[in-house]
Amino acid sequence: MDIPAGLETTSNFYKVCRLRKSLYGLKQSPRAWFERFTKVVKGYGFVQCQSDHTLFVKHFPEGKLAIIIVYVDDIILTGDHEEKIDLLKKLLTKEFEIKDLGNLKYFLGMEIARSKKGIAVSQRKYVLDLLNETRMLGCKPAETPMDTTDKLEESDGSAPVDKGRYQRLVGKLIYLSHTRPDIGFSVSVVSQFMNNPTEKHMTAVIRILRYLKMTPGKGLFFQRTTKKEIEIFSDADWAGSVTDRRSTSGYCSFVLGNLVTWRSKKQSVVARSSAEAEFRAMAQGICEGIWLNRLLEELRVPLKHPMELYCDNQAAISIAKNPVHHDRTKHVEIDRHFIKEKIEEGVFKVSYTPTNCQTADILTKALARVNFEDLTEKLGMINIYNAA
């Protein structure tokens, strides 16, 4: 940085500039903005949630509430007290230069559609823009995002491809998976080869794009149900990675009957048995459930307890309920004690579900078309554009 014009001193080398206002583009700008926003919102009586620091809630005596959720400088206001929400908009206008965009229809690349049946969230425009950018709008569609016979590995002998292009494509697919759990596993797999991508890895990415060509408008659907509990489905694909024989964990959580969070991730250590791999996936699912429960408590949403955890491995369930198998489980001691503690406290109830009803199966392995379509339906995914 140069000394500002007009400042003349003999000791220029010892002068520094002190910022009185954070400038857009500097590293500390988002933090300074969020601190300022938090201070203003708290001044209006909102409470910052501990389970999600970007979420602010205000409860009113008549049982109504107003909610603010912020992502950098994009803000969503919601709640069931319209008068207070309108008042909040006026107050925020006094403090900040904001623009009211009306009812939520488009947010960070996500399209929101409402009807009497429920709310649909998709990224159709994002998908079509991605296909146009990669010149795949006229490609042959694929029925599933990944071939069941494909087992990707680091050194597969095929020629290397443009690393920058591969990373950009996978990065865009990762963002798309925020509303597309159906591509969660395939994107998780291709993202493991960012450093040295080959033609075979790029073919797998192209396959995902071909699947998106088939279903550009597919997304999540949230509807009113009679359910009052949190349900978690956890699954693991034992030693699924050809490269290092690590297992893949997958879980999906349903709140009041609607899919809210999901994850597909390769485990950090090698599991010596399928029960151990399932056990680690169960522990991750329970952690997610505890976080969701804490969040809903802050929103004062009434829930039925205990929460339900569904697993398709009988051995993992019996180990969770019966601490006698010491010699078989001492290498997963921490997870075993954690799960056992939560069951004894009545926080969770572990139940068996058959493999063909295991919703999380779609997050741990590539599936054939019939199974894949059945599970996407169970996840609550619809294509509102087809329905129209």
Side-chain angles (χ1 to χ4, degrees):
M1 182 183 283
D2 294 325
I3 296 294
L7 179 64
E8 293 179 5
T9 175
T10 52
S11 54
N12 281 352
F13 295 106
Y14 303 103
K15 293 284 184 184
V16 294
C17 292
R18 180 188 169 198
L19 285 176
R20 295 190 177 276
K21 236 180 183 180
S22 57
L23 301 177
Y24 188 84
L26 293 179
K27 283 186 179 179
Q28 67 268 38
S29 301
R31 187 183 184 89
W33 147 250
F34 188 67
E35 280 179 9
R36 168 104 168 81
F37 181 81
T38 303
K39 188 179 176 182
V40 169
V41 169
K42 281 183 175 178
Y44 297 148
F46 280 79
V47 176
Q48 188 175 18
C49 289
Q50 293 306 302
S51 47
D52 186 343
H53 290 277
T54 62
L55 187 68
F56 300 86
V57 184
K58 186 175 182 179
H59 294 276
F60 299 98
E62 56 268 38
K64 294 187 176 182
L65 81 163
I67 298 169
I68 300 173
I69 189 158
V70 57
Y71 181 85
V72 192
D73 58 351
D74 293 294
I75 302 165
I76 295 176
L77 303 178
T78 185
D80 52 5
H81 202 311
E82 288 188 25
E83 290 175 15
K84 296 291 182 183
I85 291 172
D86 289 336
L87 178 63
L88 178 62
K89 286 180 188 176
K90 290 172 185 174
L91 292 170
L92 287 173
T93 308
K94 288 178 185 176
E95 291 286 343
F96 308 108
E97 204 175 305
I98 64 168
K99 189 178 179 184
D100 184 2
L101 299 173
N103 285 336
L104 183 63
K105 290 180 181 176
Y106 193 81
F107 187 76
L108 302 174
M110 291 178 272
E111 296 159 56
I112 295 91
R114 297 182 185 190
S115 73
K116 289 179 181 178
K117 292 180 181 178
I119 299 171
V121 182
S122 67
Q123 287 176 274
R124 185 173 182 269
K125 184 181 182 298
Y126 185 89
V127 170
L128 294 175
D129 287 346
L130 178 58
L131 291 171
N132 186 43
E133 184 188 323
T134 52
R135 298 180 182 177
M136 295 280 290
L137 274 173
C139 70
K140 183 183 177 183
E143 293 179 324
T144 58
M146 201 167 199
D147 192 341
T148 52
T149 58
D150 266 357
K151 289 287 183 183
L152 299 181
E153 50 188 310
E154 279 185 23
S155 49
D156 52 23
S158 58
V161 293
D162 182 358
K163 185 176 172 181
R165 181 171 180 258
Y166 184 88
Q167 289 177 343
R168 282 192 299 275
L169 275 175
V170 174
K172 288 178 179 182
L173 289 172
I174 289 171
Y175 187 73
L176 178 61
S177 62
H178 287 151
T179 59
R180 298 291 298 256
D182 52 336
I183 63 168
F185 171 70
S186 48
V187 172
S188 170
V189 171
V190 296
S191 63
Q192 293 169 24
F193 309 102
M194 295 284 225
N195 285 332
N196 298 300
T198 63
E199 284 181 352
K200 196 171 181 183
H201 302 146
M202 184 60 88
T203 304
V205 172
I206 298 299
R207 169 72 180 237
I208 299 171
L209 293 171
R210 286 175 53 212
Y211 168 70
L212 293 173
K213 169 68 168 61
M214 182 107 175
T215 58
K218 208 168 210 178
L220 297 170
F221 187 63
F222 301 93
Q223 57 188 331
R224 187 188 290 274
T225 65
T226 54
K227 292 187 177 182
K228 296 289 180 186
E229 68 271 342
I230 294 175
E231 296 172 304
I232 312 278
F233 290 83
S234 78
D235 192 27
D237 178 37
W238 181 45
S241 173
V242 181
T243 307
D244 52 16
R245 283 302 170 193
R246 290 183 185 175
S247 307
T248 303
S249 295
Y251 65 76
C252 52
S253 51
F254 290 80
V255 177
L256 311 182
N258 292 296
L259 179 68
V260 174
T261 62
W262 59 90
R263 193 178 192 190
S264 175
K265 184 176 171 62
K266 191 158 82 166
Q267 293 181 3
S268 55
V269 291
V270 178
R272 292 170 59 195
S273 67
S274 59
E276 183 189 334
E278 295 274 359
F279 218 63
R280 295 189 195 282
M282 283 168 69
Q284 288 182 343
I286 286 175
C287 287
E288 187 73 7
I290 291 168
W291 173 76
L292 283 168
N293 186 56
R294 197 180 301 138
L295 179 66
L296 291 167
E297 278 177 357
E298 291 189 272
L299 295 174
R300 297 182 192 171
V301 176
L303 286 173
K304 190 174 133 190
H305 286 91
M307 291 179 273
E308 290 264 11
L309 178 72
Y310 293 98
C311 176
D312 62 357
N313 189 294
Q314 296 274 27
I317 293 171
S318 66
I319 293 168
K321 292 178 178 177
N322 180 15
V324 173
H325 306 278
H326 179 70
D327 58 328
R328 291 171 58 188
T329 60
K330 57 188 177 186
H331 51 291
V332 281
E333 201 77 354
I334 296 170
D335 283 341
R336 185 174 71 83
H337 281 296
F338 172 69
I339 294 169
K340 177 176 167 286
E341 187 180 273
K342 296 304 171 191
I343 292 171
E344 287 176 352
E345 286 174 0
V347 176
F348 265 92
K349 183 174 81 174
V350 180
S351 304
Y352 173 74
T353 183
T355 304
N356 60 339
C357 298
Q358 175 56 276
T359 316
D361 208 30
I362 199 171
L363 297 166
T364 59
K365 58 180 80 72
L367 298 171
R369 182 183 63 84
V370 177
N371 287 354
F372 182 81
E373 286 178 356
D374 180 48
L375 290 181
T376 52
E377 198 174 314
K378 284 180 180 174
L379 288 171
M381 297 191 71
I382 64 161
N383 190 341
I384 59 168
Y385 298 94
N386 277 2

